[in-house]
Amino acid sequence: MSDFDLILVGGGTGGLTAATGAANLGKKVAVIEGDKLAGTCLNYGCTPTKSIIYSAMLYSAFKNAKQFGIEYEDLKLNFKKVMERTRKIVSEGLKRNEKRVKDNENMTLFRGYGSFVNEKEVQVGGESVTADTFFIATGASPRIMPIEGLENIEYLTYKSILELEELPESIIIIGGGFIGVEYASAFNSMGSKVTIVQRGDRLIKNSDAEISKALADYLQEDGIDIRFKTETARLSGKDGVDLKTKKGDIIKAKELFLAIGQKPNTDKLNLEACGVNITRRGFIDVDPFSRTTNKNIWAFGDVAGRKMFTHEALKDAEIVVKNAFLNANIKIDESKLPYAVFTDPPIGSVGLTEEEAQEKKMEFKSQKALYSDTSKGLIMGEERGFVKLIHNDKDILGCHAIGPEAPIIIQEITALMHCPDSYLTFKKVTHTHPTLSEIFEELK
């Protein structure tokens, strides 16, 4: 039996950040990981998907380059090389993270899935490790919904889709959230015939309504078939997939991709043994400081059911280390958390949507500026895309953008929202001409 100051169960990106932070405080840390270090972000999510998306974006840009006086012949996409490059990036990142743990004298890696024996002991790979403090950051996995015939169909998730060697001629994507629309946009840009089957009536359901509608309009303009308010009744097919909707329609494709959300990785933890409760949705129940129902056990990242972004997990990790070992008592605050959707065009968002401000019965103004109204937008040939600012007379409440560099553009607003009188400060800022950020001059 080994004794530690801290046991981290789950060596994802956020978990490793927390483990490193504790180790730098001189704590003896055990890192327990049954899959790959750095978790979903490096191995299945942010890094590989954005590598694929970047290749798709470049390919799309070259296809449309003739309007800028750039001519070429025989433009081709080599999907196999796209995937080889993606896997190389992931492999190199994994090696860096393994070295990060190995080189830290205060960290010990245990390979396997941790299961609590009691509130101070975890079993992993036939060995017991003990500590007074625990961090749980086991993340989440693809959620598989029960559909008639699914057991007889080969389907893809955000994990297995990275194993593709050939670009699908056609693909059905069930789900219109972040993962679904990003892959839909990328595969469409690379030449696949893409159909999104969406149960609800909008994409990225928690985004601003105007942004959501614009995204759907743009994706449809680019050739993606989006079936809103559509549920899958049955799946069949041998050479590909036949999807029958509850409306009776038949949709055919070579590949099926399930992108219908995520479930927390708690099934192997034996949380009952350590007094940690879960919520109705199965996520670990935490308070505003990220402490569980056991005062010595903390949970953060996807397994805690907050917003599932890597930058959220990284920020939470820093806070949890301070709360657990420095008695900082810092609350997790997601109100000014930005996010991006890497479609073509991409989305950047932070703060309240117009609908949320209305629900809170707040007094506010909503202003919108078009990319095409800026000099840089005209130079880039951008005929679509806009930025929407929500504010009162003193403060910025939210900002939502869709268009080139939208995830970067909203960072200015994110920073300002942390300042007092943020809208009044915003009005004093001068933006360089001609840049895309100059769009904010239209919103003063």
Side-chain angles (χ1 to χ4, degrees):
M1 183 179 291
S2 301
D3 188 41
F4 293 84
D5 298 311
L6 168 68
I7 294 175
L8 166 72
V9 187
T13 305
L16 288 182
T17 297
T20 303
N24 290 343
L25 291 175
K27 304 300 179 182
K28 186 180 177 185
V29 182
V31 176
I32 297 175
E33 177 53 61
D35 194 358
K36 298 175 181 178
L37 285 176
T40 296
C41 180
L42 172 64
N43 296 288
Y44 311 111
C46 316
T47 301
T49 59
K50 277 51 180 183
S51 171
I52 295 168
I53 288 167
Y54 190 72
S55 292
M57 182 196 72
L58 287 177
Y59 182 56
S60 179
F62 276 114
K63 285 193 295 184
N64 295 300
K66 290 184 179 180
Q67 65 175 306
F68 302 102
I70 301 170
E71 298 188 3
Y72 52 82
E73 294 181 1
D74 299 326
L75 179 68
K76 294 179 181 178
L77 175 84
N78 189 325
F79 185 76
K80 186 175 182 180
K81 288 188 176 180
V82 170
M83 300 307 287
E84 286 174 353
R85 177 178 180 271
T86 295
R87 294 185 192 110
K88 182 180 179 182
I89 291 171
V90 171
S91 176
E92 290 174 350
L94 184 58
K95 290 176 183 176
R96 286 195 299 271
N97 280 282
E98 289 174 342
K99 187 176 187 299
R100 172 183 174 186
V101 175
K102 183 180 179 181
D103 290 351
N104 194 312
E105 61 181 11
N106 287 334
M107 293 167 65
T108 303
L109 177 62
F110 292 84
R111 293 287 187 179
Y113 293 98
S115 177
F116 280 91
V117 177
N118 53 56
E119 61 181 22
K120 292 197 173 186
E121 182 181 350
V122 168
Q123 187 90 14
V124 54
E127 186 173 355
S128 290
V129 287
T130 61
D132 290 326
T133 304
F134 293 82
F135 292 169
I136 301 175
T138 48
S141 297
R143 185 165 71 89
I144 308 300
M145 63 190 296
I147 305 173
E148 182 182 343
L150 182 63
E151 68 278 6
N152 300 318
I153 295 292
E154 290 188 7
Y155 61 87
L156 301 167
T157 67
Y158 66 73
K159 288 188 175 183
S160 58
I161 200 168
L162 298 173
E163 299 169 7
L164 285 176
E165 294 291 341
E166 296 181 1
L167 179 69
E169 175 187 323
S170 54
I171 185 168
I172 297 169
I173 298 176
I174 300 180
F178 287 80
I179 298 170
V181 297
E182 287 187 349
Y183 269 111
S185 180
F187 277 92
N188 179 67
S189 293
M190 289 188 286
S192 296
K193 180 182 177 183
V194 179
T195 302
I196 297 176
V197 175
Q198 172 66 336
R199 184 177 181 179
D201 59 359
R202 60 192 286 184
L203 303 176
I204 317 292
K205 65 179 181 179
N206 292 325
S207 65
D208 182 86
E210 278 193 89
I211 294 288
S212 176
K213 184 180 184 306
L215 176 62
D217 290 344
Y218 297 159
L219 294 183
Q220 288 171 324
E221 285 174 10
D222 291 343
I224 296 176
D225 181 8
I226 305 177
R227 308 289 183 97
F228 288 113
K229 296 184 178 179
T230 301
E231 295 186 60
T232 304
R234 187 175 69 247
L235 296 166
S236 60
K238 293 183 179 179
D239 183 21
V241 59
D242 294 348
L243 184 153
K244 183 177 182 180
T245 73
K246 290 187 177 180
K247 300 175 184 177
D249 299 329
I250 301 293
I251 307 171
K252 296 177 177 288
K254 288 293 184 182
E255 298 284 356
L256 173 69
F257 178 36
L258 299 185
I260 50 178
Q262 300 188 72
K263 62 176 183 178
N265 294 329
T266 57
D267 54 315
K268 295 181 175 70
L269 293 173
N270 191 29
L271 294 174
E272 298 86 353
C274 61
V276 170
N277 294 344
I278 60 174
T279 66
R280 181 177 56 83
R281 295 172 55 222
F283 294 92
I284 292 181
D285 188 12
V286 294
D287 67 12
F289 304 94
S290 231
R291 185 177 245 147
T292 71
T293 47
N294 181 324
K295 67 177 183 178
N296 296 315
I297 300 178
W298 311 71
F300 58 94
D302 293 354
V303 76
R306 293 197 178 99
K307 294 178 180 178
M308 293 186 175
F309 305 123
T310 297
H311 49 288
E312 167 75 3
L314 291 171
K315 186 66 176 178
D316 290 358
E318 294 177 3
I319 291 173
V320 168
V321 170
K322 292 176 182 177
N323 286 346
F325 296 112
L326 302 177
N327 297 315
N329 291 322
I330 303 171
K331 288 185 177 181
I332 305 294
D333 180 11
E334 297 178 302
S335 63
K336 300 177 182 68
L337 180 75
Y339 70 80
V341 188
F342 294 93
T343 43
D344 184 10
I347 291 170
S349 184
V350 64
L352 295 178
T353 65
E354 189 169 345
E355 297 78 18
E356 289 169 338
Q358 289 170 345
E359 289 172 5
K360 292 176 180 289
K361 301 187 184 304
M362 302 175 73
E363 291 188 8
F364 70 92
K365 297 175 183 177
S366 176
Q367 294 178 266
K368 188 166 72 172
L370 306 178
Y371 273 71
S372 57
D373 287 339
T374 68
S375 295
K376 186 65 178 222
L378 291 172
I379 291 167
M380 295 171 66
E382 288 301 325
E383 297 179 356
R384 57 190 194 182
F386 61 89
V387 174
K388 183 176 183 180
L389 191 71
I390 299 166
H391 64 91
N392 57 32
D393 291 339
K394 289 181 61 179
D395 291 306
I396 297 171
L397 305 176
C399 185
H400 314 283
I402 182 167
E405 305 299 342
I408 295 175
I409 284 176
I410 59 102
Q411 289 300 138
E412 172 185 336
I413 302 301
T414 302
L416 282 170
M417 287 178 70
H418 288 270
C419 302
D421 299 334
S422 54
Y423 182 65
L424 295 177
T425 303
F426 165 76
K427 292 175 70 175
K428 298 176 183 177
V429 175
T430 300
H431 297 88
T432 307
H433 175 82
T435 65
L436 287 178
S437 64
E438 198 176 18
I439 196 169
F440 287 124
E441 294 294 330
E442 305 292 327
L443 300 175
K444 293 181 177 179

